[in-house]
Amino acid sequence: MENLMFVYRSCKVIWTLLVTILGYASSLPVGDDSICTAEELAKYSIIFTGKWSQTAFPKQYPLYRPPAQWSSMLGVTHSSDYSMWKKNEYASNGVRDFAEKGEAWVLMKEIEEAGEKIQSVHGIFSAPAISSGTGQTSTELEVHSRHPLVSFVVRIVPSPDWFVGIDSLNLCEDDHWMEEVSVDLFPYDAGTDSGFTFSSPNFATIPQDTVTEITCSSPSHPANSFYYPKLKNLPPIAQVTMMKLKKNHLGLPAPYLSVPAKSNEIIDSVSETPLDCEVSQWSSWGLCRGLCRKTGTKIRTRFVLLQPANNGMPCPNLDEETRCEPENCV
């Protein structure tokens, strides 16, 4: 009888523990892999560095109307219940407007509605635009233990609908906030405009495609501005660094706001992407020139589509001559 009572009590304890654990688990935010147990709030400086130089990306590099530059940054700190954008998923109307035209109003509305309906957003942050392909911009953001994720977008200007950004980067590691995080950024296509080049005219993608990463071989088309078939990977077009601010620094301006002018020279020298010369197809052979009943010559030509850069393959001969027999001789 005593043994039966012992088994009964043991089972009751185990059942109570299971109910407690399951009850706690049901209260977790949807989609969270782990709970952040760090202090409730943390502040970070976020520094965006453009690395879009003519040395690293020589093909069709925009020099004017408009020159290579970056839009303002728009970001949000949130829980896993919210997503600003995701690779291989359809971009929202707000992300479409931002990626195509740099207009933030609809995206801001989407963020505000998500925050009101499911309490998934803690805060919105933004940083000024950069008027060249290389340079820095920065701001501050605040994360919460229930909203430890960071997402943002920056439009590539000019482009059809291309952008760089981060999707749901978690700054919390169990019981502490990360001190510093740096991420290399690569171009994405929002899937809403069908242009191949930086200066392509507006041509809506119908039906809309998903968000995809642009690589040196995808889209696999020679007209693509990022098409470098000899590379294994594109060099980073930008980088973002987030640094946790100490409590005595809260409220102060983010570091690295003043960037020495020569920093761009350092960025340019980091990666030199070789660009091979590209030429057109041969023209038809011209008329045979020469004296009757004697061997003459005829010529065909081609022209340069893309000048070489950074020790890329030089251009071949642009004209070719061959022997021929003059026709219509009297």
Side-chain angles (χ1 to χ4, degrees):
M1 188 68 180
E2 289 179 2
N3 288 339
L4 285 173
M5 288 298 292
F6 176 76
V7 170
Y8 171 75
R9 289 193 187 98
S10 299
C11 289
K12 189 174 181 182
V13 169
I14 292 170
W15 176 250
T16 303
L17 285 170
L18 282 172
V19 169
T20 303
I21 291 168
L22 289 172
Y24 173 73
S26 66
S27 67
L28 299 183
V30 177
D32 260 3
D33 294 327
S34 61
I35 287 296
C36 175
T37 57
E39 58 182 336
E40 191 174 53
L41 295 174
K43 253 193 175 181
Y44 284 81
S45 66
I46 177 168
I47 303 104
F48 177 89
T49 304
K51 296 188 173 184
W52 185 18
S53 68
Q54 191 171 8
T55 304
F57 298 92
K59 187 174 182 180
Q60 301 168 5
Y61 188 79
L63 295 173
Y64 56 91
R65 296 183 183 179
Q69 56 191 277
W70 300 95
S71 77
S72 58
M73 173 194 291
L74 182 60
V76 61
T77 56
H78 58 96
S79 69
S80 60
D81 298 323
Y82 171 78
S83 174
M84 176 182 268
W85 65 275
K86 279 192 178 298
K87 183 179 177 181
N88 299 327
E89 293 188 8
Y90 293 106
S92 67
N93 290 336
V95 170
R96 178 200 63 203
D97 285 359
F98 193 88
E100 288 188 16
K101 298 173 282 188
E103 295 177 358
W105 188 87
V106 176
L107 183 54
M108 289 280 288
K109 195 72 176 172
E110 291 173 354
I111 295 170
E112 289 171 5
E113 288 175 357
E116 291 171 1
K117 288 181 181 178
I118 55 178
Q119 305 295 306
S120 58
V121 171
H122 178 70
I124 300 173
F125 59 90
S126 63
I130 304 173
S131 59
S132 62
T134 56
Q136 286 186 330
T137 187
S138 62
T139 188
E140 291 181 359
L141 61 88
E142 184 180 76
V143 283
H144 187 278
S145 56
R146 292 195 302 274
H147 305 86
L149 309 181
V150 175
S151 297
F152 72 81
V153 287
V154 179
R155 181 178 180 242
I156 298 173
V157 183
S159 74
D161 60 342
W162 302 341
F163 69 95
V164 296
I166 277 181
D167 166 39
S168 303
L169 175 67
N170 195 342
L171 293 179
C172 183
E173 290 186 323
D174 300 326
D175 62 349
H176 67 278
W177 296 104
M178 289 192 280
E179 291 296 323
E180 183 175 340
V181 186
S182 287
V183 181
D184 287 334
L185 303 177
F186 300 89
Y188 281 90
D189 186 325
T192 61
D193 195 291
S194 298
F196 266 131
T197 66
F198 296 121
S199 57
S200 293
N202 186 33
F203 188 73
T205 301
I206 301 175
Q208 180 177 334
D209 203 350
T210 58
V211 175
T212 55
E213 184 176 350
I214 300 172
T215 70
C216 55
S217 57
S218 178
S220 182
H221 194 290
N224 175 21
S225 292
F226 286 111
Y227 186 68
Y228 297 95
K230 290 191 175 181
L231 295 182
K232 289 185 178 180
N233 299 290
L234 284 177
I237 195 170
Q239 184 183 61
V240 67
T241 301
M242 282 166 273
M243 294 170 44
K244 186 173 179 288
L245 297 176
K246 299 186 185 299
K247 287 188 176 180
N248 59 337
H249 289 157
L250 297 183
L252 294 178
Y256 307 129
L257 280 172
S258 298
V259 184
K262 65 179 181 180
S263 66
N264 286 346
E265 298 172 11
I266 295 171
I267 291 171
D268 285 353
S269 65
V270 169
S271 56
E272 292 191 355
T273 301
L275 186 65
D276 295 342
C277 177
E278 292 182 13
V279 295
S280 68
Q281 297 293 320
W282 286 110
S283 67
S284 301
W285 287 104
L287 295 174
C288 185
R289 297 176 180 275
L291 299 174
C292 288
R293 291 179 294 279
K294 292 187 178 180
T295 301
T297 59
K298 59 183 177 180
I299 296 174
R300 63 177 182 175
T301 61
R302 55 187 173 184
F303 58 90
V304 175
L305 294 173
L306 192 65
Q307 292 289 349
N310 305 327
N311 297 315
M313 190 76 69
C315 293
N317 290 334
L318 299 179
D319 54 72
E320 189 174 66
E321 185 178 288
T322 189
R323 293 184 176 185
C324 60
E325 295 293 332
E327 299 178 359
N328 300 323
C329 283
V330 178

